[in-house]
PDB file of all heavy atoms in Angstrom:
ATOM      1  N   ILE A 281     -11.404   0.190 -12.037  1.00  0.00           N
ATOM      2  CA  ILE A 281     -10.088   0.531 -11.526  1.00  0.00           C
ATOM      3  C   ILE A 281      -8.985   0.244 -12.533  1.00  0.00           C
ATOM      4  O   ILE A 281      -8.044   1.035 -12.775  1.00  0.00           O
ATOM      5  CB  ILE A 281      -9.774  -0.291 -10.239  1.00  0.00           C
ATOM      6  CG1 ILE A 281     -10.699   0.200  -9.129  1.00  0.00           C
ATOM      7  CG2 ILE A 281      -8.332  -0.254  -9.845  1.00  0.00           C
ATOM      8  CD1 ILE A 281     -10.113   1.351  -8.317  1.00  0.00           C
ATOM      9  N   ASP A 282      -9.053  -0.971 -13.133  1.00  0.00           N
ATOM     10  CA  ASP A 282      -7.993  -1.434 -14.028  1.00  0.00           C
ATOM     11  C   ASP A 282      -7.931  -0.631 -15.240  1.00  0.00           C
ATOM     12  O   ASP A 282      -6.783  -0.237 -15.707  1.00  0.00           O
ATOM     13  CB  ASP A 282      -8.277  -2.919 -14.333  1.00  0.00           C
ATOM     14  CG  ASP A 282      -7.206  -3.482 -15.295  1.00  0.00           C
ATOM     15  OD1 ASP A 282      -5.979  -3.417 -14.963  1.00  0.00           O
ATOM     16  OD2 ASP A 282      -7.533  -4.093 -16.304  1.00  0.00           O
ATOM     17  N   GLU A 283      -9.077  -0.249 -15.864  1.00  0.00           N
ATOM     18  CA  GLU A 283      -9.088   0.468 -17.098  1.00  0.00           C
ATOM     19  C   GLU A 283      -8.489   1.852 -16.920  1.00  0.00           C
ATOM     20  O   GLU A 283      -7.852   2.439 -17.818  1.00  0.00           O
ATOM     21  CB  GLU A 283     -10.555   0.631 -17.598  1.00  0.00           C
ATOM     22  CG  GLU A 283     -11.056  -0.649 -18.269  1.00  0.00           C
ATOM     23  CD  GLU A 283     -12.562  -0.682 -18.421  1.00  0.00           C
ATOM     24  OE1 GLU A 283     -13.168   0.356 -18.215  1.00  0.00           O
ATOM     25  OE2 GLU A 283     -13.159  -1.809 -18.643  1.00  0.00           O
ATOM     26  N   ASN A 284      -8.648   2.490 -15.682  1.00  0.00           N
ATOM     27  CA  ASN A 284      -8.155   3.787 -15.470  1.00  0.00           C
ATOM     28  C   ASN A 284      -6.759   3.861 -14.878  1.00  0.00           C
ATOM     29  O   ASN A 284      -6.235   4.904 -14.427  1.00  0.00           O
ATOM     30  CB  ASN A 284      -9.142   4.568 -14.573  1.00  0.00           C
ATOM     31  CG  ASN A 284     -10.390   4.898 -15.294  1.00  0.00           C
ATOM     32  OD1 ASN A 284     -10.316   5.561 -16.384  1.00  0.00           O
ATOM     33  ND2 ASN A 284     -11.541   4.463 -14.873  1.00  0.00           N
ATOM     34  N   SER A 285      -6.140   2.640 -14.762  1.00  0.00           N
ATOM     35  CA  SER A 285      -4.748   2.611 -14.114  1.00  0.00           C
ATOM     36  C   SER A 285      -3.743   2.855 -15.176  1.00  0.00           C
ATOM     37  O   SER A 285      -4.042   2.799 -16.413  1.00  0.00           O
ATOM     38  CB  SER A 285      -4.562   1.257 -13.487  1.00  0.00           C
ATOM     39  OG  SER A 285      -4.444   0.270 -14.469  1.00  0.00           O
ATOM     40  N   ILE A 286      -2.413   3.140 -14.720  1.00  0.00           N
ATOM     41  CA  ILE A 286      -1.406   3.318 -15.701  1.00  0.00           C
ATOM     42  C   ILE A 286      -0.882   1.917 -16.265  1.00  0.00           C
ATOM     43  O   ILE A 286      -0.021   1.966 -17.208  1.00  0.00           O
ATOM     44  CB  ILE A 286      -0.263   4.202 -15.201  1.00  0.00           C
ATOM     45  CG1 ILE A 286       0.566   3.482 -14.141  1.00  0.00           C
ATOM     46  CG2 ILE A 286      -0.671   5.549 -14.742  1.00  0.00           C
ATOM     47  CD1 ILE A 286       1.865   4.115 -13.857  1.00  0.00           C
ATOM     48  N   ASN A 287      -1.377   0.873 -15.712  1.00  0.00           N
ATOM     49  CA  ASN A 287      -0.884  -0.463 -16.216  1.00  0.00           C
ATOM     50  C   ASN A 287      -2.143  -1.401 -16.387  1.00  0.00           C
ATOM     51  O   ASN A 287      -2.292  -2.412 -15.751  1.00  0.00           O
ATOM     52  CB  ASN A 287       0.083  -1.086 -15.257  1.00  0.00           C
ATOM     53  CG  ASN A 287      -0.461  -1.138 -13.861  1.00  0.00           C
ATOM     54  OD1 ASN A 287      -1.477  -0.555 -13.449  1.00  0.00           O
ATOM     55  ND2 ASN A 287       0.117  -1.898 -12.950  1.00  0.00           N
ATOM     56  N   PRO A 288      -3.008  -0.983 -17.347  1.00  0.00           N
ATOM     57  CA  PRO A 288      -4.245  -1.873 -17.556  1.00  0.00           C
ATOM     58  C   PRO A 288      -3.872  -3.378 -17.817  1.00  0.00           C
ATOM     59  O   PRO A 288      -2.888  -3.646 -18.460  1.00  0.00           O
ATOM     60  CB  PRO A 288      -4.930  -1.194 -18.811  1.00  0.00           C
ATOM     61  CG  PRO A 288      -4.355   0.140 -18.921  1.00  0.00           C
ATOM     62  CD  PRO A 288      -2.982   0.032 -18.300  1.00  0.00           C
ATOM     63  N   THR A 289      -4.756  -4.237 -17.381  1.00  0.00           N
ATOM     64  CA  THR A 289      -4.671  -5.687 -17.470  1.00  0.00           C
ATOM     65  C   THR A 289      -3.546  -6.295 -16.626  1.00  0.00           C
ATOM     66  O   THR A 289      -3.379  -7.519 -16.642  1.00  0.00           O
ATOM     67  CB  THR A 289      -4.494  -6.183 -18.956  1.00  0.00           C
ATOM     68  OG1 THR A 289      -3.198  -5.914 -19.402  1.00  0.00           O
ATOM     69  CG2 THR A 289      -5.538  -5.510 -19.863  1.00  0.00           C
ATOM     70  N   LYS A 290      -2.761  -5.453 -15.934  1.00  0.00           N
ATOM     71  CA  LYS A 290      -1.668  -5.975 -15.100  1.00  0.00           C
ATOM     72  C   LYS A 290      -1.910  -5.927 -13.635  1.00  0.00           C
ATOM     73  O   LYS A 290      -2.786  -5.010 -13.222  1.00  0.00           O
ATOM     74  CB  LYS A 290      -0.382  -5.174 -15.406  1.00  0.00           C
ATOM     75  CG  LYS A 290       0.047  -5.186 -16.818  1.00  0.00           C
ATOM     76  CD  LYS A 290       0.461  -6.487 -17.426  1.00  0.00           C
ATOM     77  CE  LYS A 290       0.996  -6.345 -18.796  1.00  0.00           C
ATOM     78  NZ  LYS A 290       0.981  -7.683 -19.508  1.00  0.00           N
ATOM     79  N   GLN A 291      -1.251  -6.704 -12.767  1.00  0.00           N
ATOM     80  CA  GLN A 291      -1.331  -6.583 -11.290  1.00  0.00           C
ATOM     81  C   GLN A 291      -2.800  -6.627 -10.765  1.00  0.00           C
ATOM     82  O   GLN A 291      -3.185  -5.810  -9.888  1.00  0.00           O
ATOM     83  CB  GLN A 291      -0.659  -5.300 -10.890  1.00  0.00           C
ATOM     84  CG  GLN A 291       0.821  -5.145 -11.268  1.00  0.00           C
ATOM     85  CD  GLN A 291       1.805  -6.127 -10.628  1.00  0.00           C
ATOM     86  OE1 GLN A 291       2.252  -7.000 -11.276  1.00  0.00           O
ATOM     87  NE2 GLN A 291       1.967  -5.983  -9.308  1.00  0.00           N
ATOM     88  N   LEU A 292      -3.609  -7.500 -11.232  1.00  0.00           N
ATOM     89  CA  LEU A 292      -5.068  -7.544 -10.887  1.00  0.00           C
ATOM     90  C   LEU A 292      -5.265  -7.939  -9.410  1.00  0.00           C
ATOM     91  O   LEU A 292      -6.143  -7.386  -8.729  1.00  0.00           O
ATOM     92  CB  LEU A 292      -5.791  -8.435 -11.849  1.00  0.00           C
ATOM     93  CG  LEU A 292      -5.798  -7.965 -13.388  1.00  0.00           C
ATOM     94  CD1 LEU A 292      -6.607  -8.859 -14.243  1.00  0.00           C
ATOM     95  CD2 LEU A 292      -6.205  -6.526 -13.501  1.00  0.00           C
ATOM     96  N   PHE A 293      -4.535  -8.891  -8.907  1.00  0.00           N
ATOM     97  CA  PHE A 293      -4.632  -9.316  -7.485  1.00  0.00           C
ATOM     98  C   PHE A 293      -4.358  -8.131  -6.624  1.00  0.00           C
ATOM     99  O   PHE A 293      -5.056  -7.812  -5.652  1.00  0.00           O
ATOM    100  CB  PHE A 293      -3.785 -10.471  -7.198  1.00  0.00           C
ATOM    101  CG  PHE A 293      -4.053 -11.257  -5.953  1.00  0.00           C
ATOM    102  CD1 PHE A 293      -5.293 -11.772  -5.656  1.00  0.00           C
ATOM    103  CD2 PHE A 293      -3.006 -11.479  -5.074  1.00  0.00           C
ATOM    104  CE1 PHE A 293      -5.481 -12.452  -4.465  1.00  0.00           C
ATOM    105  CE2 PHE A 293      -3.210 -12.180  -3.831  1.00  0.00           C
ATOM    106  CZ  PHE A 293      -4.432 -12.636  -3.573  1.00  0.00           C
ATOM    107  N   GLU A 294      -3.198  -7.399  -6.891  1.00  0.00           N
ATOM    108  CA  GLU A 294      -2.823  -6.289  -6.159  1.00  0.00           C
ATOM    109  C   GLU A 294      -3.910  -5.170  -6.160  1.00  0.00           C
ATOM    110  O   GLU A 294      -4.166  -4.541  -5.170  1.00  0.00           O
ATOM    111  CB  GLU A 294      -1.552  -5.732  -6.776  1.00  0.00           C
ATOM    112  CG  GLU A 294      -1.023  -4.459  -6.101  1.00  0.00           C
ATOM    113  CD  GLU A 294       0.417  -4.162  -6.610  1.00  0.00           C
ATOM    114  OE1 GLU A 294       0.527  -3.465  -7.673  1.00  0.00           O
ATOM    115  OE2 GLU A 294       1.373  -4.588  -5.943  1.00  0.00           O
ATOM    116  N   LYS A 295      -4.523  -5.041  -7.328  1.00  0.00           N
ATOM    117  CA  LYS A 295      -5.557  -3.920  -7.452  1.00  0.00           C
ATOM    118  C   LYS A 295      -6.811  -4.221  -6.570  1.00  0.00           C
ATOM    119  O   LYS A 295      -7.569  -3.321  -6.350  1.00  0.00           O
ATOM    120  CB  LYS A 295      -5.960  -3.736  -8.958  1.00  0.00           C
ATOM    121  CG  LYS A 295      -4.831  -2.984  -9.775  1.00  0.00           C
ATOM    122  CD  LYS A 295      -5.070  -3.007 -11.199  1.00  0.00           C
ATOM    123  CE  LYS A 295      -3.969  -2.249 -11.907  1.00  0.00           C
ATOM    124  NZ  LYS A 295      -3.977  -2.457 -13.410  1.00  0.00           N
ATOM    125  N   MET A 296      -7.049  -5.525  -6.227  1.00  0.00           N
ATOM    126  CA  MET A 296      -8.223  -5.863  -5.407  1.00  0.00           C
ATOM    127  C   MET A 296      -7.885  -5.690  -3.890  1.00  0.00           C
ATOM    128  O   MET A 296      -8.707  -5.824  -3.112  1.00  0.00           O
ATOM    129  CB  MET A 296      -8.616  -7.312  -5.673  1.00  0.00           C
ATOM    130  CG  MET A 296      -9.029  -7.554  -7.118  1.00  0.00           C
ATOM    131  SD  MET A 296      -9.158  -9.261  -7.590  1.00  0.00           S
ATOM    132  CE  MET A 296     -10.749  -9.676  -6.976  1.00  0.00           C
ATOM    133  N   ILE A 297      -6.516  -5.530  -3.607  1.00  0.00           N
ATOM    134  CA  ILE A 297      -6.072  -5.635  -2.197  1.00  0.00           C
ATOM    135  C   ILE A 297      -5.501  -4.404  -1.757  1.00  0.00           C
ATOM    136  O   ILE A 297      -5.752  -3.925  -0.551  1.00  0.00           O
ATOM    137  CB  ILE A 297      -5.067  -6.746  -2.107  1.00  0.00           C
ATOM    138  CG1 ILE A 297      -5.668  -8.068  -2.314  1.00  0.00           C
ATOM    139  CG2 ILE A 297      -4.280  -6.640  -0.791  1.00  0.00           C
ATOM    140  CD1 ILE A 297      -4.697  -9.238  -2.518  1.00  0.00           C
ATOM    141  N   SER A 298      -4.683  -3.676  -2.488  1.00  0.00           N
ATOM    142  CA  SER A 298      -3.676  -2.796  -1.874  1.00  0.00           C
ATOM    143  C   SER A 298      -4.227  -1.352  -1.651  1.00  0.00           C
ATOM    144  O   SER A 298      -5.219  -0.919  -2.196  1.00  0.00           O
ATOM    145  CB  SER A 298      -2.389  -2.793  -2.727  1.00  0.00           C
ATOM    146  OG  SER A 298      -2.641  -2.059  -3.925  1.00  0.00           O
ATOM    147  N   GLY A 299      -3.383  -0.666  -0.906  1.00  0.00           N
ATOM    148  CA  GLY A 299      -3.717   0.704  -0.541  1.00  0.00           C
ATOM    149  C   GLY A 299      -3.790   1.760  -1.714  1.00  0.00           C
ATOM    150  O   GLY A 299      -4.539   2.749  -1.594  1.00  0.00           O
ATOM    151  N   MET A 300      -3.103   1.436  -2.746  1.00  0.00           N
ATOM    152  CA  MET A 300      -3.151   2.372  -3.898  1.00  0.00           C
ATOM    153  C   MET A 300      -4.532   2.311  -4.519  1.00  0.00           C
ATOM    154  O   MET A 300      -4.919   3.375  -5.154  1.00  0.00           O
ATOM    155  CB  MET A 300      -2.114   1.871  -4.998  1.00  0.00           C
ATOM    156  CG  MET A 300      -1.982   2.915  -6.110  1.00  0.00           C
ATOM    157  SD  MET A 300      -0.416   2.688  -6.970  1.00  0.00           S
ATOM    158  CE  MET A 300      -0.516   3.999  -8.134  1.00  0.00           C
ATOM    159  N   TYR A 301      -5.368   1.335  -4.365  1.00  0.00           N
ATOM    160  CA  TYR A 301      -6.647   1.181  -5.019  1.00  0.00           C
ATOM    161  C   TYR A 301      -7.856   1.122  -4.081  1.00  0.00           C
ATOM    162  O   TYR A 301      -8.988   1.339  -4.567  1.00  0.00           O
ATOM    163  CB  TYR A 301      -6.595  -0.016  -5.944  1.00  0.00           C
ATOM    164  CG  TYR A 301      -5.433  -0.100  -6.833  1.00  0.00           C
ATOM    165  CD1 TYR A 301      -4.306  -0.874  -6.491  1.00  0.00           C
ATOM    166  CD2 TYR A 301      -5.310   0.721  -7.996  1.00  0.00           C
ATOM    167  CE1 TYR A 301      -3.206  -0.919  -7.275  1.00  0.00           C
ATOM    168  CE2 TYR A 301      -4.204   0.650  -8.810  1.00  0.00           C
ATOM    169  CZ  TYR A 301      -3.116  -0.091  -8.451  1.00  0.00           C
ATOM    170  OH  TYR A 301      -2.008  -0.152  -9.282  1.00  0.00           O
ATOM    171  N   MET A 302      -7.644   0.842  -2.787  1.00  0.00           N
ATOM    172  CA  MET A 302      -8.742   0.571  -1.889  1.00  0.00           C
ATOM    173  C   MET A 302      -9.746   1.747  -1.768  1.00  0.00           C
ATOM    174  O   MET A 302     -10.927   1.615  -1.786  1.00  0.00           O
ATOM    175  CB  MET A 302      -8.223   0.188  -0.586  1.00  0.00           C
ATOM    176  CG  MET A 302      -9.287  -0.352   0.380  1.00  0.00           C
ATOM    177  SD  MET A 302      -8.615  -0.797   2.079  1.00  0.00           S
ATOM    178  CE  MET A 302      -7.917  -2.363   1.740  1.00  0.00           C
ATOM    179  N   GLY A 303      -9.100   2.996  -1.655  1.00  0.00           N
ATOM    180  CA  GLY A 303     -10.014   4.169  -1.518  1.00  0.00           C
ATOM    181  C   GLY A 303     -10.864   4.358  -2.744  1.00  0.00           C
ATOM    182  O   GLY A 303     -12.034   4.704  -2.676  1.00  0.00           O
ATOM    183  N   GLU A 304     -10.212   4.206  -3.921  1.00  0.00           N
ATOM    184  CA  GLU A 304     -10.959   4.391  -5.163  1.00  0.00           C
ATOM    185  C   GLU A 304     -11.972   3.353  -5.372  1.00  0.00           C
ATOM    186  O   GLU A 304     -13.104   3.685  -5.935  1.00  0.00           O
ATOM    187  CB  GLU A 304      -9.890   4.441  -6.377  1.00  0.00           C
ATOM    188  CG  GLU A 304     -10.544   4.644  -7.762  1.00  0.00           C
ATOM    189  CD  GLU A 304     -11.338   5.911  -7.954  1.00  0.00           C
ATOM    190  OE1 GLU A 304     -11.322   6.831  -7.111  1.00  0.00           O
ATOM    191  OE2 GLU A 304     -12.013   6.086  -9.022  1.00  0.00           O
ATOM    192  N   LEU A 305     -11.749   2.115  -5.035  1.00  0.00           N
ATOM    193  CA  LEU A 305     -12.749   1.044  -5.045  1.00  0.00           C
ATOM    194  C   LEU A 305     -14.004   1.432  -4.267  1.00  0.00           C
ATOM    195  O   LEU A 305     -15.140   1.321  -4.651  1.00  0.00           O
ATOM    196  CB  LEU A 305     -12.152  -0.253  -4.522  1.00  0.00           C
ATOM    197  CG  LEU A 305     -11.553  -1.243  -5.526  1.00  0.00           C
ATOM    198  CD1 LEU A 305     -10.816  -2.332  -4.782  1.00  0.00           C
ATOM    199  CD2 LEU A 305     -12.567  -1.823  -6.447  1.00  0.00           C
ATOM    200  N   THR A 306     -13.649   1.912  -3.081  1.00  0.00           N
ATOM    201  CA  THR A 306     -14.774   2.373  -2.115  1.00  0.00           C
ATOM    202  C   THR A 306     -15.560   3.502  -2.696  1.00  0.00           C
ATOM    203  O   THR A 306     -16.849   3.525  -2.703  1.00  0.00           O
ATOM    204  CB  THR A 306     -14.176   2.817  -0.758  1.00  0.00           C
ATOM    205  OG1 THR A 306     -13.364   1.729  -0.243  1.00  0.00           O
ATOM    206  CG2 THR A 306     -15.260   3.139   0.231  1.00  0.00           C
ATOM    207  N   ARG A 307     -14.919   4.477  -3.316  1.00  0.00           N
ATOM    208  CA  ARG A 307     -15.539   5.611  -3.949  1.00  0.00           C
ATOM    209  C   ARG A 307     -16.403   5.149  -5.091  1.00  0.00           C
ATOM    210  O   ARG A 307     -17.626   5.651  -5.194  1.00  0.00           O
ATOM    211  CB  ARG A 307     -14.535   6.621  -4.556  1.00  0.00           C
ATOM    212  CG  ARG A 307     -15.098   7.926  -5.004  1.00  0.00           C
ATOM    213  CD  ARG A 307     -14.212   8.686  -5.855  1.00  0.00           C
ATOM    214  NE  ARG A 307     -13.958   8.149  -7.151  1.00  0.00           N
ATOM    215  CZ  ARG A 307     -14.737   8.156  -8.204  1.00  0.00           C
ATOM    216  NH1 ARG A 307     -15.915   8.845  -8.117  1.00  0.00           N
ATOM    217  NH2 ARG A 307     -14.504   7.574  -9.356  1.00  0.00           N
ATOM    218  N   LEU A 308     -15.998   4.192  -5.888  1.00  0.00           N
ATOM    219  CA  LEU A 308     -16.846   3.641  -7.041  1.00  0.00           C
ATOM    220  C   LEU A 308     -18.104   3.031  -6.559  1.00  0.00           C
ATOM    221  O   LEU A 308     -19.193   3.193  -7.149  1.00  0.00           O
ATOM    222  CB  LEU A 308     -16.030   2.675  -7.805  1.00  0.00           C
ATOM    223  CG  LEU A 308     -14.878   3.340  -8.721  1.00  0.00           C
ATOM    224  CD1 LEU A 308     -14.006   2.238  -9.265  1.00  0.00           C
ATOM    225  CD2 LEU A 308     -15.500   4.126  -9.839  1.00  0.00           C
ATOM    226  N   VAL A 309     -18.057   2.263  -5.448  1.00  0.00           N
ATOM    227  CA  VAL A 309     -19.204   1.608  -4.849  1.00  0.00           C
ATOM    228  C   VAL A 309     -20.177   2.713  -4.310  1.00  0.00           C
ATOM    229  O   VAL A 309     -21.375   2.666  -4.567  1.00  0.00           O
ATOM    230  CB  VAL A 309     -18.824   0.633  -3.756  1.00  0.00           C
ATOM    231  CG1 VAL A 309     -20.101  -0.016  -3.196  1.00  0.00           C
ATOM    232  CG2 VAL A 309     -17.887  -0.411  -4.234  1.00  0.00           C
ATOM    233  N   LEU A 310     -19.611   3.655  -3.611  1.00  0.00           N
ATOM    234  CA  LEU A 310     -20.509   4.790  -3.073  1.00  0.00           C
ATOM    235  C   LEU A 310     -21.126   5.542  -4.207  1.00  0.00           C
ATOM    236  O   LEU A 310     -22.365   5.899  -4.069  1.00  0.00           O
ATOM    237  CB  LEU A 310     -19.634   5.676  -2.240  1.00  0.00           C
ATOM    238  CG  LEU A 310     -19.004   5.193  -0.985  1.00  0.00           C
ATOM    239  CD1 LEU A 310     -18.024   6.189  -0.299  1.00  0.00           C
ATOM    240  CD2 LEU A 310     -20.056   4.724   0.050  1.00  0.00           C
ATOM    241  N   GLU A 311     -20.364   5.720  -5.278  1.00  0.00           N
ATOM    242  CA  GLU A 311     -21.019   6.505  -6.355  1.00  0.00           C
ATOM    243  C   GLU A 311     -22.112   5.694  -7.049  1.00  0.00           C
ATOM    244  O   GLU A 311     -23.182   6.252  -7.401  1.00  0.00           O
ATOM    245  CB  GLU A 311     -19.881   6.792  -7.447  1.00  0.00           C
ATOM    246  CG  GLU A 311     -20.328   7.694  -8.547  1.00  0.00           C
ATOM    247  CD  GLU A 311     -19.224   8.092  -9.595  1.00  0.00           C
ATOM    248  OE1 GLU A 311     -18.336   7.247  -9.779  1.00  0.00           O
ATOM    249  OE2 GLU A 311     -19.220   9.231 -10.117  1.00  0.00           O
ATOM    250  N   LYS A 312     -21.961   4.363  -7.153  1.00  0.00           N
ATOM    251  CA  LYS A 312     -23.043   3.500  -7.686  1.00  0.00           C
ATOM    252  C   LYS A 312     -24.267   3.629  -6.752  1.00  0.00           C
ATOM    253  O   LYS A 312     -25.407   3.741  -7.299  1.00  0.00           O
ATOM    254  CB  LYS A 312     -22.519   2.103  -7.717  1.00  0.00           C
ATOM    255  CG  LYS A 312     -23.629   1.100  -8.230  1.00  0.00           C
ATOM    256  CD  LYS A 312     -23.147  -0.385  -8.300  1.00  0.00           C
ATOM    257  CE  LYS A 312     -24.238  -1.210  -8.675  1.00  0.00           C
ATOM    258  NZ  LYS A 312     -23.864  -2.641  -8.958  1.00  0.00           N
ATOM    259  N   LEU A 313     -24.054   3.646  -5.450  1.00  0.00           N
ATOM    260  CA  LEU A 313     -25.187   3.744  -4.561  1.00  0.00           C
ATOM    261  C   LEU A 313     -25.924   5.049  -4.625  1.00  0.00           C
ATOM    262  O   LEU A 313     -27.134   5.096  -4.558  1.00  0.00           O
ATOM    263  CB  LEU A 313     -24.793   3.409  -3.099  1.00  0.00           C
ATOM    264  CG  LEU A 313     -24.195   2.081  -2.764  1.00  0.00           C
ATOM    265  CD1 LEU A 313     -23.804   1.940  -1.364  1.00  0.00           C
ATOM    266  CD2 LEU A 313     -25.242   0.941  -3.193  1.00  0.00           C
ATOM    267  N   VAL A 314     -25.174   6.085  -4.815  1.00  0.00           N
ATOM    268  CA  VAL A 314     -25.813   7.492  -5.003  1.00  0.00           C
ATOM    269  C   VAL A 314     -26.564   7.471  -6.307  1.00  0.00           C
ATOM    270  O   VAL A 314     -27.773   7.886  -6.311  1.00  0.00           O
ATOM    271  CB  VAL A 314     -24.640   8.596  -5.065  1.00  0.00           C
ATOM    272  CG1 VAL A 314     -25.286   9.907  -5.499  1.00  0.00           C
ATOM    273  CG2 VAL A 314     -23.996   8.705  -3.672  1.00  0.00           C
ATOM    274  N   ASN A 315     -26.012   6.950  -7.349  1.00  0.00           N
ATOM    275  CA  ASN A 315     -26.693   6.996  -8.613  1.00  0.00           C
ATOM    276  C   ASN A 315     -28.013   6.163  -8.626  1.00  0.00           C
ATOM    277  O   ASN A 315     -28.932   6.438  -9.352  1.00  0.00           O
ATOM    278  CB  ASN A 315     -25.791   6.472  -9.757  1.00  0.00           C
ATOM    279  CG  ASN A 315     -24.669   7.324 -10.055  1.00  0.00           C
ATOM    280  OD1 ASN A 315     -24.714   8.575  -9.612  1.00  0.00           O
ATOM    281  ND2 ASN A 315     -23.544   6.846 -10.695  1.00  0.00           N
ATOM    282  N   ALA A 316     -28.002   5.138  -7.767  1.00  0.00           N
ATOM    283  CA  ALA A 316     -29.206   4.292  -7.624  1.00  0.00           C
ATOM    284  C   ALA A 316     -30.204   4.891  -6.598  1.00  0.00           C
ATOM    285  O   ALA A 316     -31.241   4.257  -6.291  1.00  0.00           O
ATOM    286  CB  ALA A 316     -28.772   2.889  -7.203  1.00  0.00           C
ATOM    287  N   GLY A 317     -29.862   6.067  -6.056  1.00  0.00           N
ATOM    288  CA  GLY A 317     -30.746   6.663  -5.128  1.00  0.00           C
ATOM    289  C   GLY A 317     -30.762   6.048  -3.691  1.00  0.00           C
ATOM    290  O   GLY A 317     -31.624   6.290  -2.891  1.00  0.00           O
ATOM    291  N   LEU A 318     -29.720   5.237  -3.482  1.00  0.00           N
ATOM    292  CA  LEU A 318     -29.679   4.439  -2.146  1.00  0.00           C
ATOM    293  C   LEU A 318     -28.840   5.131  -1.090  1.00  0.00           C
ATOM    294  O   LEU A 318     -28.683   4.730   0.037  1.00  0.00           O
ATOM    295  CB  LEU A 318     -29.099   3.044  -2.415  1.00  0.00           C
ATOM    296  CG  LEU A 318     -29.879   2.181  -3.375  1.00  0.00           C
ATOM    297  CD1 LEU A 318     -29.126   0.898  -3.753  1.00  0.00           C
ATOM    298  CD2 LEU A 318     -31.277   1.744  -2.758  1.00  0.00           C
TER     299      LEU A 318
END
Side-chain angles (χ1 to χ4, degrees):
I281 289 273
D282 182 50
E283 283 162 15
N284 289 302
S285 68
I286 68 166
N287 54 349
T289 75
K290 306 293 185 197
Q291 301 293 110
L292 298 183
F293 194 55
E294 179 171 82
K295 285 171 181 167
M296 299 166 82
I297 291 167
S298 75
M300 189 159 181
Y301 310 98
M302 188 183 284
E304 178 62 7
L305 269 170
T306 306
R307 189 195 69 79
L308 288 168
V309 181
L310 295 174
E311 191 177 30
K312 177 180 175 172
L313 296 179
V314 171
N315 292 344
L318 299 170

